[in-house]
Amino acid sequence: MTSVLVTGARGFLGRNLVARLRMTAGVEVWGVDEGDDMWGPLREAEVVYHLAGVNRPKEEGEFERVNAGLTRALVEKLEEWGRRPLVVFASSIQAELENAYGRSKRAAEEVLAGWGGPVRVYRLKNLFGKFSRPNYNSVVATFCHKAARGEELEVHDGGRELELSYVDDVVDAMVGEMRGEAGAVGSFRVTVGELAERIRAIAESRKTLVVPDMGDRLTVCLRATYLSYVPAAEREVRLEVRRDERGSLAEFLKTEGAGQIFVSRTAPGVTRGNHYHETKTEKFFVVEGEGLLKMRRVDGEEVEEYRLSGGAYQVVDIPPGWTHSITNVGEGEMVTLFWASEIFDPGRPDTYFLAVEGA
């Protein structure tokens, strides 16, 4: 069992790191913050994640007292006890600058460098992710919080470039240090204006159902961050449902590059389809009930049949140029999940009605 101490455990990075460590086998975690006893756990810890610090104090003197002073006190205790745990320190790129915050972080780094024990220093860059406080020191958190509430995003210098680091990437690297693995944190470069546009698009996607490009790592991280700020009352989205004598149908999810998913409920004895597509392809998956899928090549006569049962987890691919239909042959409603290779375009539907049988 590895004993780990995390200072600043109730801060942004601390909450994420403690959550991960508590889910890591073979690790005992002490998380402490202002007002907690740090010295008891420090006597036992084999790894110390020193995250505690201030970046917006009421008085400038707190920078030195907390950022440098607390680090100095920590090292003095370890020296007094003759202990040499691994210390992983959360610093900032501002340690390169001559402002009060940067000087205090640089002073803390120098204290650790002069200690003689094993130390890893992370100069973090514009950290963002879940649990970050909006309207504080993260433009990503502020933009996500506002967008999730339908508020205007104020962009004062849209061309200014930011270098961002995602909190889970930092946590990955820091946990790796505990295992003796070299930690490395990637970053993203984006202008303030582009950042605002990305977050606006992510917010809008919950209404349009068009998911942004999830092959882009920054988009993945921004979307995860944005969703963490959506108010509880806004998390549920009611889909637009089309109803007729056959049953009901609703679009569930759309993508620009990977088609869309929709779901239908079909009454007993009802047939859907009897059409084909020239290029569009589909997948059919009966989730509940009993369905009979039929298909025929448009220039042929032979009809193929597939019996699909809810709970059997069967998926059938519908090739282009094959007219197809699905009939509810059960006693209750049939629930079917469909995937189409492209978003439906009313101006170019690529759908041609042709009966599978009796044509």
Side-chain angles (χ1 to χ4, degrees):
M1 183 71 71
T2 302
S3 299
V4 175
L5 169 63
V6 180
T7 72
R10 291 192 289 275
F12 166 38
L13 176 56
R15 289 174 187 272
N16 283 276
L17 179 60
V18 168
R20 175 73 67 80
L21 289 170
R22 284 179 174 159
M23 297 301 294
T24 302
V27 176
E28 180 184 20
V29 185
W30 288 293
V32 301
D33 216 305
E34 186 176 7
D36 297 332
D37 170 37
M38 181 173 76
W39 309 124
L42 186 63
R43 276 187 176 274
E44 307 295 331
E46 299 165 71
V47 180
V48 177
Y49 291 100
H50 184 32
L51 315 181
V54 295
N55 53 23
R56 281 197 178 185
K58 294 179 180 178
E59 299 179 358
E60 188 172 297
E62 288 187 51
F63 283 128
E64 169 61 26
R65 180 179 65 80
V66 178
N67 295 342
L70 183 60
T71 306
R72 194 173 294 112
L74 185 150
V75 166
E76 288 173 356
K77 282 292 185 182
L78 292 175
E79 286 285 4
E80 177 185 333
W81 298 329
R83 302 204 65 241
R84 290 289 187 272
L86 169 65
V87 176
V88 180
F89 178 55
S91 187
S92 167
I93 55 171
Q94 293 207 36
E96 302 171 1
L97 305 179
E98 287 302 324
N99 55 48
Y101 175 63
R103 288 194 299 271
S104 69
K105 281 294 190 181
R106 190 165 65 247
E109 291 179 6
E110 291 168 355
V111 168
L112 290 168
W115 166 47
V119 174
R120 304 288 185 273
V121 174
Y122 282 74
R123 285 189 170 180
L124 302 177
K125 306 171 183 178
N126 296 306
L127 201 58
F128 75 99
K130 60 187 183 297
F131 309 150
S132 180
R133 190 192 313 179
N135 303 309
Y136 186 63
N137 66 341
S138 167
V139 64
V140 176
T142 300
F143 279 178
C144 286
H145 183 268
K146 287 181 175 292
R149 287 155 181 76
E151 299 175 16
E152 184 62 31
L153 307 190
E154 299 178 12
V155 179
H156 300 293
D157 184 3
R160 180 166 65 91
E161 187 175 72
L162 300 173
E163 189 169 6
L164 307 174
S165 292
Y166 185 52
V167 68
D168 286 350
D169 292 342
V170 174
V171 168
D172 285 344
M174 286 188 165
V175 171
E177 297 286 0
M178 180 179 63
R179 302 189 182 107
E181 301 168 0
V185 181
S187 62
F188 307 97
R189 291 186 179 274
V190 62
T191 65
V192 176
E194 183 185 354
L195 176 65
E197 285 304 311
R198 281 175 177 258
I199 292 173
R200 288 190 189 106
I202 289 168
E204 185 65 19
S205 72
R206 297 189 69 237
K207 301 174 185 177
T208 64
L209 306 180
V210 180
V211 177
D213 178 10
M214 301 302 285
D216 176 75
R217 173 70 176 164
L218 176 56
T219 297
V220 170
C221 297
L222 288 175
R223 186 173 184 275
T225 303
Y226 168 80
L227 288 177
S228 72
Y229 292 95
V230 174
E234 301 295 327
R235 290 196 182 113
E236 178 185 338
V237 175
R238 292 296 180 97
L239 301 178
E240 180 182 349
V241 182
R242 298 177 175 85
R243 305 179 192 277
D244 58 25
E245 66 281 357
R246 297 173 299 174
S248 60
L249 182 144
E251 295 177 315
F252 167 57
L253 182 148
K254 305 176 185 178
T255 70
E256 293 293 352
Q260 71 176 106
I261 297 173
F262 52 101
V263 63
S264 73
R265 305 183 75 92
T266 304
V270 169
T271 298
R272 291 183 180 273
N274 278 315
H275 60 236
Y276 72 94
H277 315 290
E278 289 184 335
T279 302
K280 184 191 302 182
T281 60
E282 294 177 305
K283 290 179 179 287
F284 282 31
F285 173 24
V286 171
V287 179
E288 181 179 327
E290 299 289 329
L292 182 62
L293 172 63
K294 297 182 179 182
M295 66 174 74
R296 172 178 63 83
R297 215 168 94 161
V298 295
D299 61 349
E301 297 180 357
E302 182 180 352
V303 176
E304 296 180 4
E305 294 187 358
Y306 302 86
R307 183 77 180 227
L308 306 178
S309 298
Y313 296 91
Q314 303 155 280
V315 177
V316 178
D317 282 295
I318 310 298
W322 288 69
T323 185
H324 50 277
S325 67
I326 186 167
T327 302
N328 182 352
V329 294
E331 296 181 359
E333 263 193 331
M334 177 180 66
V335 180
T336 311
L337 196 66
F338 303 89
W339 172 81
S341 60
E342 58 187 55
I343 296 175
F344 180 74
D345 179 0
R348 188 179 177 281
D350 189 8
T351 300
Y352 302 89
F353 290 93
L354 178 66
V356 177
E357 296 178 306

